Amino acid sequence: MEKRETMLESYLRRGLSRRTFIKGCVALTTMMGLSTDMVSKVVEAAEKKPLPVVIWLHGHECTGCDESFIRSGAPLASDLVLTNIALEYDHLLSAGSGEPFEHHLEETVKKYWGQYILAVEGAVSTTDNGTFCMSGGKPFVETLQRVAKGAAAIIAYGTCATDGGIQGAKPNPTGSAGIKHYTGTKPIINVPGCPPIPEVMTGVVMHVALFGKIPPLDSEGRPKQFYGNRIHDTCYRRPFFDAGMFADSYDDEGAKKGWCLYKLGCRGPETYNSCGNLRWYQGMSYPIQSGAACIGCSNAHFWDEGPMFARLPEYGPLGDIDKIGAGLAVATAAGVAVHAAASVVQKQQRDKDKENGKEQVGNK
Amino acid sequence: MVKEERRIYYLFSPFLRIFHWIMAVSILVMFVSGLLITKPVYINALEPTYTLFLVDVTRSVHFLAAFVFCASLILRVYGYIINRGDRLFPRVLEGHFYSETVDVALHYMLLKKSHAPFLRNPLARMSYAGLYVMAAIEIVTGFAMYNMADPNTIGGFLFGWVNTVLGGEYMTHVVHHYCAWGIMLFVIGHIYMAIRADFMEGEGEISSMFNGTKLLEHEPKDACEVEPPKTK
Ligand code: HEM
Ligand code: SF4
């Protein structure tokens, strides 16, 4: 693979027509969240640019992101991997294994130094020199740091890679953390989610691949076109929220009728993702549509943020802040009453002193 | 009938006084509507079509009160600029502030019969500063939630960082909610202390928020903050 193919060439080599290629480009354009007048740019890039080399590393994780990735419908994950990018190394999808495979990683890093896209799934385990997560005989954190140095851009897939993931929940015995502190100053695209939506995963890598540029990011480094809205603001159950119609438990009338899941702790109001508009598996459904409250899986630290089935954190027998606050208010009021009674006594004594001419003002 | 001489001190500008009452009403409205946003009550009507309690409306009420409250801050700031009596904040850089705090605290703990006279005593000053801090927290967290409906707006740019600092938008809700309770605890203490001050000292604590003046029998320790320094 000395002269790298372009996307068009890879289509033609596989006996696909140019017409199919153009169709593919149109699909890609919409998938990347771009407007249709960008189609010509996409076609141009796909005709001229050699396929981008991608190295896909897996760290401390469950590989659930891959499960999501391979279900991408537009573009099909197989199309993406076989015709749209040059995927040189992937723990999960590669046929190769063992020493030669690890060797291939080193070769690729050397050969395409400064050019390849690095996709990372999974957290960095930091406790005990990272030995909780080993791959190819080396701690993942070492491999990551080495490979990241030569990357043109880095994509962090999944909330593990962006913020440490579920294994990073308190007390976090493996010291799991997001990758951002181990990748130096390389530009990084955060694609959180547990897992992210398949089409978001493919859309982001295609954007970088085709334009050689990072898509517009928000303040948390997430692509704006996919993380620019709260689920709550795109949720089809929102009218029920506005109308005050809620499910109070998962088996009541409200739940059956498909009312809003806010009272069951839905994190839609705090979560930025495309579930509400893209939905999953070619628009089939998403958690709320299937009747489960959103758990905010694309939020950093969602694993530590209170019970997922309630709006507010709870403190054992004390309950939530509304109970505690009401208790404190009553206690304060009671304290006030006692203090008021004592003040009345104090005032009477003071008035008596005053009458007797023993007036006392402050420190005098 | 006891006859005694008292001096009138003009403290609060009309701007501060109007602001105070706008704040009192709007905070109460925001507190109640805020709690209802977290735990909406479902008033069961014959059919869903006729549901009486609308979260949408509750939120609008909350936001309306929030905007009125924020707008009224302009009055407060204007008063602060034009009138010395509107600037009675804690003098934390002055040593006597601390000894006076202890003095007043001892009285409030009922260990001393009285405290030195003040236009506004150091504990009260601190509690009001605390209220302003809590109000500021409510405002920044509130606008962070409000504006992030579209992060690409100016509002999102101005307040979006709050969510990052607090570690996520869920935490912004939590802080906003906890701080609301903090303000309510302040309110209880504040109303009590104002009534008590009137009862104990008869200095016109409550009416001062209507007419701007307090009546003091003895020269207050902080008189210099509203009057030109005396030439001896
Ligand atoms: C100082 C007075 C205020 C009090 C006592 C107060 C109280 C509350 C409470 C208790 C909640 C429920 C929090 C939750 O669990 O989600 C809330 C929600 C909220 N407040 Fe405030 N708030 C105040 C000021 C503000 C201001 C100045 C704004 C600015 C616009 C604001 C905007 C919001 C928003 C956007 C929500 C979330 C509504 C939702 O989740 O739909 N608040 N407030
Ligand atoms: S189900 Fe969740 S995201 Fe949808 S409207 Fe209700 S609270 Fe918002």
Side-chain angles (χ1 to χ4, degrees), chain B residues 62-129:
Chain B
H62 191 82
F63 301 151
L64 186 69
F67 289 130
V68 169
F69 174 53
C70 292
S72 73
L73 276 170
I74 297 171
L75 296 172
R76 178 70 182 86
V77 172
Y78 183 65
Y80 183 92
I81 293 168
I82 59 155
N83 180 28
R84 298 181 74 196
D86 290 5
R87 294 175 215 159
L88 303 180
F89 280 108
R91 301 280 174 251
V92 287
L93 297 179
E94 294 163 25
H96 61 88
F97 180 79
Y98 298 94
S99 54
E100 288 165 4
T101 305
V102 172
D103 174 53
V104 176
L106 284 176
H107 169 65
Y108 283 167
M109 287 189 278
L110 304 165
L111 298 174
K112 267 183 88 179
K113 276 198 191 125
S114 57
H115 63 69
F118 292 98
L119 293 172
R120 177 178 284 170
N121 79 51
L123 272 181
R125 282 168 189 242
M126 283 202 279
S127 76
Y128 300 144

Side-chain angles (χ1 to χ4, degrees), chain A residues 12 14 45 48 58 73 79 90 112 137 170 175 177 189 197 214 221 235-236 281 286 289 308 310 312-313 316:
Chain A
L12 297 178
R14 299 199 309 153
K48 294 199 184 130
H58 292 250
D79 279 353
D90 186 324
Y112 300 109
K170 281 172 198 153
I189 308 168
I197 299 172
I214 301 234
C235 179
Y236 79 104
Y281 311 135
Y286 70 115
Q289 190 172 347
M308 285 170 183
L312 295 167

Side-chain angles (χ1 to χ4, degrees), chain A residues 27-46:
Chain A
L28 269 177
T29 313
T30 31
M31 273 325 303
M32 289 186 290
L34 301 172
S35 71
T36 39
D37 49 323
M38 292 290 284
V39 170
S40 55
K41 285 236 170 80
V42 171
V43 173
E44 202 183 318

Side-chain angles (χ1 to χ4, degrees), chain A residues 230 238 241-242 245 262-263 272 311 315 320 322 339-340 343 346-347 350 353 359-360 363, chain B residues 37 39-40 48 55-56 59 103 108 112-113 145 148 169-170 177-178 181 192 196 199-201:
Chain A
R230 288 180 187 130
R238 178 61 182 268
F241 172 87
D242 286 342
M245 291 149 76
Y262 183 75
K263 285 189 173 176
Y272 296 80
R311 285 300 309 157
Y315 303 92
D320 64 13
D322 285 349
H339 197 269
S343 298
Q346 199 179 46
K347 167 104 156 108
R350 216 160 80 179
D353 286 354
E359 194 184 356
Q360 176 202 25
N363 295 331
Chain B
I37 292 170
K39 297 189 181 154
V55 176
D56 198 18
R59 291 176 81 233
D103 174 53
Y108 283 167
K112 267 183 88 179
K113 276 198 191 125
M145 294 185 281
M148 286 302 273
E169 196 165 322
Y170 178 71
H177 198 120
Y178 284 28
W181 276 106
Y192 168 63
R196 180 183 185 276
F199 172 74
M200 298 292 282
E201 327 290 349

Side-chain angles (χ1 to χ4, degrees), chain A residues 32 41 45-46 49-50 52 114-117 152-153 187 189 204-215:
Chain A
M32 289 186 290
K41 285 236 170 80
K49 282 215 160 161
Q115 299 170 42
Y116 55 82
I117 301 169
I189 308 168
V204 170
V205 71
M206 277 320 295
H207 191 114
V208 183
L210 280 177
F211 298 122
K213 265 196 296 208
I214 301 234

